[in-house]
Amino acid sequence: MNHADEARFGRASLLILNVCPFTLRHVINDYHVKNGSTSLQDFLDKNKHDIYHILNRRRCCRLIQSRSTPMNRSQWDLLFIRTSSLCSKGYTGDCLCQYDAKPGITSNVMDITLCCLFIKNICSRHVGINMSHIETIRTVRNDIIHAESAQLNVPTYNGYWNSVKLALLDLANHVSPIIHSDTLSKIQDLETRVINAGELGEIRRVIVDEKRIEVVEEVCSTDF
């Protein structure tokens, strides 16, 4: 085992698992505030129809049908709770009007995958968001989570680190100077951080959990 390669893998993993969600959640918070919502709960309820149709191919009571389903049921269940067994318009089967946003919900429940999906599909009209940054983060996340070994050589590490750093800082700059400063501070702290064996072991366990969640979400990806 090359300990330097392992440390680079650990550092890149923490960038993806810890720093990315921090910044992406602030992008989502910034979006719903600028769109006049008083909270994420309020925003989810106002945009429930759009969110429902990135989950479910079936028609809803508005007779609208989605073309694709990038969201899965487990992700929907993080955001919404079923509050009625019947559709208010008499539509048979599962319908969006049976659901409400979870009371008091915040973006802290959203992991990097759900953040990327949400920004790409719901926040895409947000002026100033460079969606290529979201794709960069998503791609590097998948490469890290599905890496064959928990090691990164220097060229690969530098490529991942620099591209994600650029994406995060540009996204954070769009939110506010404070979030940009906080994001930069987190990245700089991580750049010089010593990754010990115990922390590497914990990172591996988290990655195993991420893979396990993906399997569960694949099972949950069928329509209601």
Side-chain angles (χ1 to χ4, degrees):
M1 285 286 186
N2 186 315
H3 294 297
D5 286 354
E6 285 186 319
R8 281 188 286 269
F9 180 85
R11 197 169 288 111
S13 298
L14 291 175
L15 180 67
I16 290 296
L17 296 171
N18 292 352
V19 184
C20 284
F22 167 82
T23 305
L24 294 176
R25 288 165 185 160
H26 278 289
V27 171
I28 292 169
N29 294 341
D30 181 64
Y31 180 77
H32 79 65
V33 168
K34 287 180 178 176
N35 278 270
S37 298
T38 57
S39 64
L40 182 61
Q41 179 184 346
D42 179 44
F43 179 79
L44 292 175
D45 279 329
K46 288 178 179 176
N47 293 273
K48 181 169 58 177
H49 186 256
D50 288 341
I51 299 169
Y52 183 81
H53 283 294
I54 62 172
L55 165 73
N56 202 327
R57 285 193 181 94
R58 294 177 181 174
R59 293 179 185 272
C60 66
C61 59
R62 300 184 193 179
L63 301 180
I64 295 175
Q65 185 171 6
S66 63
R67 296 180 180 178
S68 62
T69 56
M71 178 181 278
N72 60 57
R73 178 60 187 265
S74 63
Q75 291 170 324
W76 169 270
D77 287 342
L78 279 175
L79 307 176
F80 294 92
I81 185 171
R82 190 166 187 157
T83 55
S84 174
S85 60
L86 299 174
C87 171
S88 60
K89 297 183 180 180
Y91 183 74
T92 58
D94 196 271
C95 188
L96 68 96
C97 63
Q98 297 168 307
Y99 295 86
D100 290 313
K102 288 185 175 180
I105 189 171
T106 72
S107 59
N108 288 337
V109 304
M110 303 170 77
D111 64 9
I112 182 174
T113 302
L114 185 53
C115 282
C116 287
L117 184 152
F118 199 87
I119 293 170
K120 182 178 179 180
N121 289 276
I122 302 300
C123 306
S124 56
R125 291 164 291 185
H126 198 344
V127 177
I129 291 182
N130 186 337
M131 288 299 160
S132 68
H133 292 331
I134 303 303
E135 185 61 24
T136 293
I137 292 169
R138 189 191 68 81
T139 299
V140 173
R141 180 265 178 201
N142 289 342
D143 286 351
I144 293 290
I145 296 300
H146 297 288
E148 293 183 359
S149 67
Q151 299 185 62
L152 286 177
N153 59 35
V154 173
T156 303
Y157 170 80
N158 286 341
Y160 287 164
W161 188 273
N162 292 334
S163 61
V164 172
K165 178 180 179 179
L166 175 65
L168 288 176
L169 291 178
D170 191 53
L171 289 167
N173 190 56
H174 180 71
V175 176
S176 74
I178 292 176
I179 299 305
H180 181 273
S181 177
D182 288 348
T183 298
L184 179 59
S185 177
K186 289 178 181 294
I187 293 172
Q188 290 174 334
D189 288 346
L190 190 54
E191 279 180 312
T192 57
R193 183 169 164 181
V194 176
I195 309 295
N196 59 43
E199 196 165 17
L200 284 170
E202 180 59 29
I203 290 168
R204 292 192 191 98
R205 284 190 288 273
V206 171
I207 288 175
V208 168
D209 287 342
E210 285 281 315
K211 291 179 180 178
R212 187 179 298 117
I213 290 169
E214 284 187 350
V215 172
V216 172
E217 290 179 343
E218 182 67 26
V219 172
C220 294
S221 64
T222 55
D223 289 350
F224 287 24

